[in-house]
Amino acid sequence: MTETHALNFEPLDPDESVHRSHQFLARMQTRRTVRDFSPRDVPFALIQNAIATAATAPSGANQQPWTFVVVRDSGIKRQIREAAEAEERENYERRMSAEWLAALAHLGTNWHKPHLEIAPYLIVVFAQSHGIGPNGEKVKHYYVSESVGIAVGLLIASLHQAGLATLTHTPSPMGFLAEILGRPAHERAYVVLPVGYPADDARVPVITKKPLDEVMIVI
Ligand code: IYR
């Protein structure tokens, strides 16, 4: 039988609801993906709270198929930078199609990834393709990439709310991350988030988000 307890629910009056949702929207609309980081240290509590927030995410069968590896060691950051740059160089110079490079051109990205060393923290998110039971047996996980994607959304929102900048970095292939960080075979890297304060002279490309009427259909 399913064990339950009463939902802990805070009722809000509609005006208060709309006000809060507006505030949250305005805050999230200021988030930008940042590539120019300051080396300035970040309170560790912000990293901890962001990961604790991410770990509240809904997940398939509540299996919470994620591991967040926090890297602050500069030697490991350097190893990650070197391996990522080697793969990315191959991507930009050989593996990415002309169509892909054209789609990216307005963002001004390239294979150089100094932010992987400059940002005080890297959060490397791993997806657990299956779990390990009490007797070492394989436990099937459901909706792994959906679950981890939702958790990463909450992670980015929390870090932004705390006044920190992030970059959503997906080097490809990402196998080197599990190797450098010593993760087990059932964990595959999902994303690397450099986290820190933006550099004083940080710049970002001019981009816009699609207007609501292009992304929302009400029937
Ligand atoms: N992973 C590469 C390339 C890249 C791909 C997309 I799609 C982007 O939106 C940005 C970059 C890199 O990190 O440079």
Side-chain angles (χ1 to χ4, degrees), residues 34-42 47 70-78 81 113-123 164-167 192-199:
V34 166
R35 293 183 171 78
D36 304 327
F37 285 86
S38 157
R40 180 151 73 96
D41 199 14
V42 161
I47 305 292
V70 178
V71 182
R72 55 174 153 191
D73 179 276
S74 53
I76 298 178
K77 285 196 289 180
R78 170 163 310 164
R81 175 187 178 176
K113 305 294 176 192
H115 40 263
L116 291 172
E117 275 191 86
I118 296 169
Y121 286 100
L122 304 179
I123 302 178
L164 295 175
T166 60
L167 168 62
V192 181
L193 291 186
V195 179
Y197 297 103

Side-chain angles (χ1 to χ4, degrees), residues 88 92 96 100 104 107 109-110 113 169-170:
E88 290 295 341
Y92 280 89
M96 288 157 85
W100 190 351
L104 273 184
L107 297 179
T109 60
N110 58 45
K113 305 294 176 192
H169 179 44
T170 50

Side-chain angles (χ1 to χ4, degrees), residues 7-207:
L7 174 67
N8 184 7
F9 178 76
E10 181 196 1
L12 291 177
D13 74 61
D15 289 348
E16 174 64 12
S17 266
V18 171
H19 174 71
R20 286 200 201 181
S21 104
H22 216 144
Q23 297 276 97
F24 188 65
L25 170 60
R27 179 72 197 139
M28 292 311 294
Q29 281 174 329
T30 67
R31 189 200 58 77
R32 291 298 309 264
T33 290
V34 166
R35 293 183 171 78
D36 304 327
F37 285 86
S38 157
R40 180 151 73 96
D41 199 14
V42 161
F44 186 61
L46 303 183
I47 305 292
Q48 274 184 308
N49 289 344
I51 292 173
T53 300
T56 68
S59 62
N62 193 36
Q63 285 167 322
Q64 306 165 62
W66 41 61
T67 305
F68 301 88
V69 180
V70 178
V71 182
R72 55 174 153 191
D73 179 276
S74 53
I76 298 178
K77 285 196 289 180
R78 170 163 310 164
Q79 281 184 55
I80 291 175
R81 175 187 178 176
E82 284 170 2
E85 286 186 333
E87 292 295 1
E88 290 295 341
R89 185 168 192 166
E90 209 41 42
N91 288 337
Y92 280 89
E93 292 180 356
R94 276 174 276 278
R95 293 194 284 238
M96 288 157 85
S97 63
E99 190 180 20
W100 190 351
L101 291 170
L104 273 184
H106 71 295
L107 297 179
T109 60
N110 58 45
W111 63 264
H112 295 280
K113 305 294 176 192
H115 40 263
L116 291 172
E117 275 191 86
I118 296 169
Y121 286 100
L122 304 179
I123 302 178
V124 188
V125 184
F126 286 86
Q128 301 168 356
S129 43
H130 62 81
I132 308 282
N135 304 311
E137 74 280 17
K138 203 163 151 169
V139 177
K140 189 169 164 41
H141 277 168
Y142 301 92
Y143 298 101
V144 172
S145 52
E146 291 85 347
S147 304
V148 179
I150 295 167
V152 170
L154 295 181
L155 181 67
I156 292 170
S158 171
L159 292 164
H160 178 65
Q161 177 62 17
L164 295 175
T166 60
L167 168 62
T168 316
H169 179 44
T170 50
S172 166
M174 292 210 257
F176 67 88
L177 289 162
E179 203 172 301
I180 292 172
L181 300 173
R183 302 311 305 160
H186 65 285
E187 291 190 6
R188 58 182 166 78
Y190 186 88
V191 72
V192 181
L193 291 186
V195 179
Y197 297 103
D200 289 338
D201 60 352
R203 300 189 64 85
V204 291
V206 176
I207 58 167

